[in-house]
Amino acid sequence: MKISEKVKSQSVDPASREILQLAADQEIETVWNRLEKQQPQCGFGELGLCCRICAMGPCRIDPFGEGAQKGACGATADTIVARHLVRMIAGGAAAHSDHGRRPALLLKEIAEGHNQDYTIKDPKKLKAIAGRLGLNTENRDIKELALEVATIALNDFGKQDENTLAFVKAYAPKKRLARWQKIADDLSALSEKTIGILPRGIDREIVDIMHRTHFGVDHGPLSLIAQGVRAAIGDGWGGSLIATELQDVIFGTPKIREATANLGVLDKEQVNIVVHGHEPVLSEKIVELAATEKMQELARAQGAKGVNVVGMCCTGNEILMRHGVPIAGNELQQELAIITGAVELMSVDVQCIFPALAELSQCFHTHFVATSDQAAFPGSIHIQFEEDKANLCAERIVTMAVKNFINRKPERVQIPAFTSQAMVGFSVEAILEALGGTPEPLLDAIKSGAIKGVVGIVGCNNPKVTHDYYHIELAKALIAKDILVIGSGCWAIAAAKAGLMQVETAKDAGPGLQQVCEALKIPPCLHMGSCVDCSRMLVLAGALADTLGVDIDDLPLVGSAPEWLTEKAISIGTFFVASGVSVHLWPMPPIAGGAQVTEILTETAEEVFGGAFFVEEDPLKAAEKMAEIIAGKRLALGL
Ligand code: SF4
Ligand code: MSK
């Protein structure tokens, strides 16, 4: 198939290019076409200078200094930019943390015997969490312990006292905890106004943001950003971490395993089910039910060879990490999967799901099934998921997919013949196991300079950036500099598809990293999971800091979200910076209209937290800058 220059500019992924070309030839609309129709986009919005918080608005500030310099209420550019930014953090923290609430509630239900469809798959991890939380774990009934852990987790969401979250106290390194308290004290003294940094309640800090950004409340850029930081810490070391830890308890902690990635995992001869979104609670059951002889037999009766479940985005990452279920693609491939004509059913839960999928699926035989009470998609089929009837719900969905096989139009099926093998499943536990049980070998490699530092790459795809281009080029440039790359979300899927998660790829790394990878038989890019699993990176950083007796900002670590799209990415970036890790972003976030906000995020944050945001459009220059930051940290550590 001849690929046009336009399609080449849209994606570097060969499978996506093939389907994008097919879509262009058949005039099937995708996100790239819709974004094109949005051009030119609003310059005020891009700079963060538009406010519609009250009905006097929308107000906008003239960035050239000629027109209005204040909103009707008198809000300045910095107030408007800061309010908008922290509302983005609230949105991101809410999405991650609400995700965390679900496994916490489910664990409670299991512990109390109210749910028979799920069990505790990793009691060892449950004990480890309980131990961190200071609970007695000796000779304890596992369900009793589970109830105590779930109760503490749920309390962290809704507690009303002024103390810090139990999970933050249990997981954040001691030095960082003390630093956050000191930062709050110093900022309060400086501004003569109480400023909090340590989160009191996961939900409370998000509500606090919505309150203080309501008309006529908080107008101080620093005060607003500090609250954004507080909610983001409540996300990273609270809600996201609870999601990761308790999902591991219920579904099992990921172990290193081989898996396959890209649209080629769809099977021409099988019933294809794509599970998409973020929460693994239902998709775990779909995987389980689809593998039963009953369903396989039903598929054979329809003329298919079997049932093939594949993942998309972070629901996909969850079942990829725990079961090695093949992953069809990342965020910009959700429409492309349907356009292959080979998907009998796409089941979605929450987050990062295009509403456009409903209309698109109607042009094919695909059943587009929404399952969450929080997520309606007009034009979809809604099958309400309830945890206590999980098996029934999953069976209904798989049966619906199987029975749809006969409606597939073979002449419309085009599955790109592109797949890549990847080694996945790098939970902190799996990394430590590969290292022989302690972080020492990794620290030794860092100390010797074989590994110069570690960069965590996270986040989405964004059609403003050529799909996967930045993810892949940045990772390649970093490993060539002996920098180990770890990451999650859509980056991890891009890296898997590009072959960066194979041990053999170590040959493209610098000599030091190559040697370490070959000795440990690990790839130079490690898949650490889904979006909420950014918390795994925090836990790893905390373990390294505690082992060395330093704070996280002393370590040669950098973060990046090079094709970011969602508010969750802003929350992730903020909790990395708050934890002492500098974070690169591309595209530019909507803050440039506020000079003071920009200064706080890119300069003051460095002095306060030991890490700050920076923006860079070119992956090679971004890699250079990251190497510089790492070299500076190494020098300060005397390495
Ligand atoms: Fe305009 Fe102020 Fe209302 Fe925002 S809050 S829309 S700046 S009047
Ligand atoms: S799915 S948040 S587009 S990483 Fe987690 Fe991908 Fe970003 Fe969604």
Side-chain angles (χ1 to χ4, degrees):
M1 176 185 259
K2 186 162 170 17
I3 307 291
S4 71
E5 289 308 311
K6 182 169 182 183
V7 166
K8 284 182 190 166
S9 74
Q10 291 170 332
S11 177
V12 294
D13 170 37
S16 299
R17 281 180 171 179
E18 184 179 321
I19 301 300
L20 274 167
Q21 190 61 55
L22 179 75
D25 294 347
Q26 297 186 4
E27 296 183 359
I28 300 169
E29 185 186 84
T30 65
V31 61
W32 284 271
N33 310 121
R34 292 187 296 272
L35 179 62
E36 209 174 306
K37 287 182 190 155
Q38 289 293 329
Q39 304 307 318
Q41 286 178 300
C42 171
F44 295 98
E46 281 177 341
L47 295 171
L49 287 174
C50 172
C51 180
R52 53 174 192 81
I53 272 174
C54 87
M56 282 191 277
C59 296
R60 50 193 201 179
I61 307 295
D62 180 0
F64 303 109
E66 287 161 14
Q69 292 304 295
K70 285 182 183 147
C73 65
T76 64
D78 275 301
T79 300
I80 290 172
V81 169
R83 279 198 300 218
H84 183 245
L85 176 76
V86 298
R87 279 196 170 199
M88 291 182 85
I89 295 174
H96 279 151
S97 300
D98 208 32
H99 173 164
R101 191 190 323 271
R102 190 172 283 262
L105 285 168
L106 181 56
L107 187 63
K108 182 168 181 279
E109 293 282 297
I110 297 168
E112 290 176 337
H114 297 143
N115 188 308
Q116 313 303 329
D117 287 13
Y118 297 92
T119 54
I120 292 168
K121 289 230 177 91
D122 193 345
K124 193 172 157 205
K125 176 119 189 190
L126 177 68
K127 282 190 182 167
I129 298 167
R132 275 193 185 251
L133 290 168
L135 300 175
N136 172 26
T137 59
E138 288 303 313
N139 304 318
R140 296 292 308 277
D141 174 71
I142 212 67
K143 285 199 170 171
E144 211 179 278
L145 199 56
L147 184 59
E148 282 182 34
V149 168
T151 305
I152 293 174
L154 291 168
N155 191 45
D156 270 357
F157 282 93
K159 73 185 190 63
Q160 301 299 324
D161 61 53
E162 299 297 308
N163 300 328
T164 309
L165 306 181
F167 271 81
V168 171
K169 279 195 276 192
Y171 280 80
K174 300 287 159 281
K175 291 200 172 181
R176 187 55 33 179
L177 271 173
R179 175 117 164 220
W180 282 331
Q181 188 53 57
K182 186 170 181 321
I183 292 167
D185 294 344
D186 291 352
L187 290 179
S188 301
L190 193 76
S191 61
E192 294 180 342
K193 165 190 170 299
T194 304
I195 288 186
I197 295 290
L198 283 159
R200 302 155 293 182
I202 297 166
D203 293 345
R204 181 174 179 180
E205 304 313 346
I206 296 162
V207 170
D208 184 308
I209 287 180
M210 297 314 287
H211 177 183
R212 71 175 65 211
T213 57
H214 179 274
F215 176 73
V217 186
D218 194 357
H219 302 93
L222 183 67
S223 171
L224 283 159
I225 291 170
Q227 181 56 29
V229 167
R230 200 178 205 182
I233 295 172
D235 170 2
W237 294 94
S240 281
L241 191 141
I242 289 171
T244 298
E245 296 294 84
L246 301 192
Q247 283 174 181
D248 282 357
V249 169
I250 302 168
F251 306 123
T253 303
K255 293 187 168 60
I256 299 170
R257 62 181 87 238
E258 281 287 325
T260 315
N262 219 339
L263 291 169
V265 300
L266 294 167
D267 192 325
K268 205 171 181 172
E269 297 181 325
Q270 295 199 66
V271 173
N272 291 307
I273 300 177
V274 180
V275 291
H276 174 25
H278 279 76
E279 294 177 349
V281 187
L282 172 60
S283 53
E284 279 274 334
K285 284 289 162 189
I286 292 177
V287 171
E288 200 181 300
L289 261 291
T292 59
E293 189 44 39
K294 182 179 166 189
M295 286 301 150
Q296 296 291 333
E297 179 52 44
L298 189 63
R300 287 192 287 272
Q302 307 294 314
K305 283 208 169 149
V307 186
N308 179 40
V309 180
V310 301
M312 177 72 61
C313 286
C314 283
T315 292
N317 276 329
E318 298 276 3
I319 52 177
L320 172 81
M321 289 281 282
R322 294 198 177 88
H323 308 290
V325 172
I327 188 139
N330 47 11
E331 189 237 335
L332 284 183
Q333 290 176 287
Q334 52 189 289
E335 291 174 295
L336 308 184
I338 291 178
I339 299 171
T340 64
V343 175
E344 273 59 55
L345 187 145
M346 181 181 276
S347 168
V348 300
D349 47 78
V350 289
Q351 301 170 26
C352 305
I353 303 150
F354 295 166
L357 293 174
E359 198 180 321
L360 178 67
S361 61
Q362 281 162 12
C363 304
F364 292 83
H365 76 299
T366 309
H367 288 321
F368 177 58
V369 177
T371 60
S372 167
D373 58 348
Q374 288 178 303
F377 295 85
S380 69
I381 301 164
H382 196 94
I383 297 182
Q384 186 56 55
F385 172 59
E386 289 164 74
E387 272 101 344
D388 58 346
K389 300 183 194 79
N391 288 335
L392 272 177
C393 180
E395 187 169 338
R396 198 172 152 203
I397 289 171
V398 177
T399 306
M400 182 183 263
V402 171
K403 291 193 171 161
N404 195 24
F405 184 73
I406 50 165
N407 295 320
R408 190 191 281 185
K409 297 189 174 54
E411 68 282 6
R412 289 197 79 182
V413 173
Q414 183 165 330
I415 302 173
F418 295 101
T419 57
S420 188
Q421 288 306 111
M423 189 183 262
V424 301
F426 288 91
S427 57
V428 176
E429 291 81 351
I431 292 174
L432 291 180
E433 201 181 310
L435 295 171
T438 73
E440 294 290 352
L442 179 57
L443 284 170
D444 288 345
I446 292 174
K447 283 183 201 162
S448 74
I451 294 178
K452 298 272 190 299
V454 183
V455 171
I457 314 183
V458 304
C460 329
N461 296 129
N462 185 327
K464 291 179 177 176
V465 181
T466 304
H467 171 228
D468 286 353
Y469 165 75
Y470 211 133
H471 283 318
I472 295 167
E473 293 308 312
L474 178 61
K476 280 186 183 166
L478 290 169
I479 63 170
K481 293 178 189 295
D482 286 320
I483 294 170
L484 176 68
V485 180
I486 60 176
S488 64
C490 288
W491 168 78
I493 304 168
K497 289 185 294 168
L500 298 175
M501 290 174 168
Q502 297 167 0
V503 180
E504 305 75 58
T505 310
K507 68 178 184 335
D508 300 325
L513 179 59
Q514 181 178 350
Q515 213 177 20
V516 173
C517 290
E518 284 170 357
L520 295 172
K521 299 198 172 35
I522 57 167
C525 295
L526 306 184
H527 194 318
M528 290 194 76
S530 65
C531 289
V532 290
D533 292 338
C534 288
S535 63
R536 295 193 200 275
M537 287 179 246
L538 293 181
V539 173
L540 182 63
L544 295 178
D546 278 343
T547 309
L548 272 183
V550 298
D551 195 356
I552 294 178
D553 69 317
D554 295 318
L555 299 170
L557 311 176
V558 185
S560 173
E563 299 183 22
W564 80 274
L565 167 91
T566 69
E567 292 168 321
K568 290 182 289 174
I570 294 295
S571 182
I572 293 169
T574 306
F575 66 65
F576 271 123
V577 166
S579 302
V581 180
S582 283
V583 170
H584 159 256
L585 290 179
W586 187 256
M588 179 73 190
I591 59 161
Q596 196 187 342
V597 172
T598 307
E599 190 185 324
I600 291 171
L601 297 173
T602 58
E603 292 173 31
T604 318
E606 179 69 47
E607 292 158 31
V608 176
F609 296 109
F613 284 101
F614 64 100
V615 174
E616 173 55 60
E617 183 173 4
D618 179 332
L620 298 184
K621 286 188 188 152
E624 283 297 330
K625 168 86 179 159
M626 290 175 193
E628 262 172 44
I629 294 171
I630 284 171
K633 300 279 182 190
R634 294 183 62 85
L635 198 65
L637 273 174
L639 298 176

